[in-house]
Amino acid sequence: MRSRLQQAGLVFTGLCAGVLISLNFSANADKAAALAPLPVEELRNLADVFNAIKQGYVEPVDDKKLITHAISGMLSNLDPHSAYLDAEAFKELQVGTQGEFGGLGIEVGSEDGFVKVISPIEDTPAFRAGIKSGALIIKLDDTPVKGMPLNDAVKRMRGKPKTQIKLSILRKGENKPVEITLTREIIKVQSVKSKLVEDGYGYLRITSFQENTAAALIKHLNELYKPGPLKGLVLDLRNDPGGLLNTAIGVSSAFLPPKTLVTSTDGRTPDAKHKFYSSPEDYLRRSGQDDYIKNLPAEARTVPMVVLINGGSASASEIVAGALQDNKRAIIMGTTSFGKGSVQTVLPLPGNTAIKLTTARYFTPSGRSIQAKGIAPDIVVEEKANGSSSMRLREADLEHHLENNKDGKDKDAATPAKPQSKAPAKSKGNPSRDEDDEASEPPSRELASKNDYQLGQAINLLKGLQIMQNRP
């Protein structure tokens, strides 16, 4: 028996060494880690468990399944965003960044072994059904999700269009779970939407940061400028779960001077230490790609601007908000963002699989870490006129979340924004609420709705800035 375990230990040692070499970790790791010997005793413990399962588990278990689960467990216990991607999940990740995939349209995370909704994607089955951030999914059809790997839960929710799945959801403040049956669709996400709210006041909404989002943003800006110059612009990043880093840099570049620092990243390896500027080499994914920023209306870089954020604004949307805030380009309004300030690198493995590994933290131009803190708005405006906002799950609430490595060092990052003491007076024709009794209603899902209280306050602020600029 002991001989077998020793052989298994050698096999696992060789396996781990092979994985490290194939991922080229030894070339990128710091010298101390590169020279450190492999933990042979711990690998033998792993081999003991592997062998015990193979010999004594009630049913036979495939070797590949056991090793895959071991890899998945290693990653899922690091932080909420590191994960093992099987062939299907890897393909879905690649397709998802292109703006089209099959499923329900929910951005999810894990919490205490359950699946929690981070944010529903706009214009999807989940969004139309009223599923909100912070909801706890406890069953998929008749299968409890307690202890189910997050990737498995995501795979169950995705599937062929026109097929149905029943979700049992537990919401805060409710004693019983709610059962919702959703029909899967091909989710084609239109990541940028726009509207001329009033004469001279434009509205841009970004729902996620996909490959073509920044180029689409330029097209929408040109449409907004067709009737004439804008007096003010609102960029809505509320409930935007994020996406591609280079796209966030491209969106920021549309509003910042060329070669302005947008964000920086810092991690253990040389590749993880980088500064990103509003330059084509940082926002274009491949050489020879058409520079969409050349088609930008010149006035877009100087128009008075408000950015709306909330607890559903995460990752790439926080990069944009932080860049525009630190460079004094826009006023950030709303409530504190989600706080996902980490960078995930996708490392391909054989068999069309991959691991998604957290490799760095990102920072705003002034050096603030967003991780587990979020972007604090310059002006706090709650979702409703009565001063209330819906409860939201944030990065700091997630199990095993990465700590902010600047806690106690960055006084500016820790300073909360001053709340808005009094809502600005409504002016005729602005898109804020018309009656006080509407304040208790949830925000409308209509694009640039007149019942959108936060948007109304953003327009009021822009009008106030316009009046101040026009004073002699």
Side-chain angles (χ1 to χ4, degrees), residues 383-458:
E383 290 178 357
K384 302 172 185 178
N386 62 7
S388 64
S389 290
S390 58
M391 296 294 291
R392 292 183 180 274
L393 177 75
R394 286 187 167 86
E395 176 80 8
D397 301 320
L398 298 178
E399 191 176 10
H400 305 308
H401 72 268
L402 194 67
E403 296 295 334
N404 188 306
N405 64 347
K406 285 205 169 187
D407 277 344
K409 298 177 183 179
D410 192 339
K411 294 181 179 180
D412 292 335
T415 304
K418 294 181 179 179
Q420 181 190 29
S421 58
K422 187 177 180 181
K426 299 175 186 175
S427 61
K428 187 176 180 180
N430 74 52
S432 57
R433 299 185 180 276
D434 296 321
E435 299 178 15
D436 290 338
D437 60 359
E438 288 181 335
S440 60
E441 297 178 2
S444 171
R445 291 174 183 153
E446 177 190 346
L447 184 69
S449 166
K450 291 183 178 180
N451 292 330
D452 187 335
Y453 178 70
Q454 290 173 319
L455 175 58
Q457 300 312 310

Side-chain angles (χ1 to χ4, degrees), residues 42-304:
E42 286 76 10
L43 290 174
R44 283 177 178 166
N45 290 338
L46 181 60
D48 288 349
V49 174
F50 180 88
N51 194 63
I53 294 171
K54 290 293 293 181
Q55 291 194 358
Y57 187 65
V58 65
E59 294 179 352
V61 186
D62 180 67
D63 289 353
K64 183 178 179 181
K65 183 177 181 180
L66 278 177
I67 293 172
T68 298
H69 286 340
I71 295 171
S72 179
M74 278 193 289
L75 290 160
S76 64
N77 282 285
L78 294 174
D79 66 81
H81 309 293
S82 294
Y84 171 74
L85 305 175
D86 61 17
E88 186 177 346
F90 188 25
K91 182 179 179 181
E92 287 176 352
L93 176 68
Q94 293 169 314
V95 172
T97 58
Q98 296 169 359
E100 180 177 322
F101 56 90
L104 306 176
I106 314 176
E107 178 81 10
V108 295
S110 60
E111 177 74 10
D112 294 330
F114 290 104
V115 176
K116 266 195 171 181
V117 177
I118 293 177
S119 180
I121 299 173
E122 200 166 317
D123 295 335
T124 63
F127 185 87
R128 292 192 292 270
I131 295 176
K132 298 183 181 299
S133 172
L136 186 70
I137 300 174
I138 60 174
K139 276 187 181 181
L140 296 171
D141 286 327
D142 295 322
T143 305
V145 301
K146 178 68 174 176
M148 182 185 296
L150 183 61
N151 283 339
D152 291 351
V154 170
K155 282 195 290 185
R156 284 176 178 266
M157 286 187 281
R158 292 188 176 183
K160 293 182 179 180
K162 299 183 181 179
T163 59
Q164 291 187 329
I165 184 171
K166 181 174 66 177
L167 273 60
S168 297
I169 293 176
L170 191 61
R171 297 176 176 134
K172 288 185 179 180
E174 296 182 1
N175 296 324
K176 295 181 179 180
V178 177
E179 291 187 349
I180 301 174
T181 299
L182 299 177
T183 302
R184 297 180 180 92
E185 296 178 1
I186 292 294
I187 309 297
K188 294 183 178 180
V189 182
Q190 184 184 348
S191 62
V192 183
K193 299 179 180 181
S194 64
K195 187 176 182 180
L196 200 61
V197 179
E198 296 182 28
D199 184 27
Y201 293 93
Y203 171 84
L204 280 167
R205 171 159 177 73
I206 300 179
T207 59
S208 60
F209 287 77
Q210 302 162 6
E211 282 187 8
N212 299 319
T213 297
L217 178 84
I218 304 301
K219 292 180 181 178
H220 280 268
L221 278 169
N222 278 294
E223 288 296 319
L224 288 173
Y225 271 95
K226 270 187 179 179
L230 293 179
K231 302 173 185 176
L233 179 67
V234 177
L235 177 62
D236 190 353
L237 300 178
R238 293 173 296 178
N239 298 319
D240 183 331
L244 298 174
L245 174 61
N246 70 292
T247 302
I249 297 166
V251 169
S252 302
S253 300
F255 305 108
L256 294 172
K259 300 182 180 179
T260 300
L261 181 62
V262 174
T263 188
S264 61
T265 60
D266 189 26
R268 294 174 59 206
T269 68
D271 289 346
K273 304 175 189 295
H274 196 82
K275 290 186 177 182
F276 298 90
Y277 296 85
S278 52
S279 302
E281 53 268 27
D282 285 336
Y283 59 73
L284 297 180
R285 296 198 77 177
R286 53 189 179 274
S287 59
Q289 183 180 355
D290 183 48
D291 186 1
Y292 45 78
I293 295 293
K294 292 180 180 178
N295 301 318
L296 176 75
E299 300 89 342
R301 284 198 166 115
T302 57
V303 63

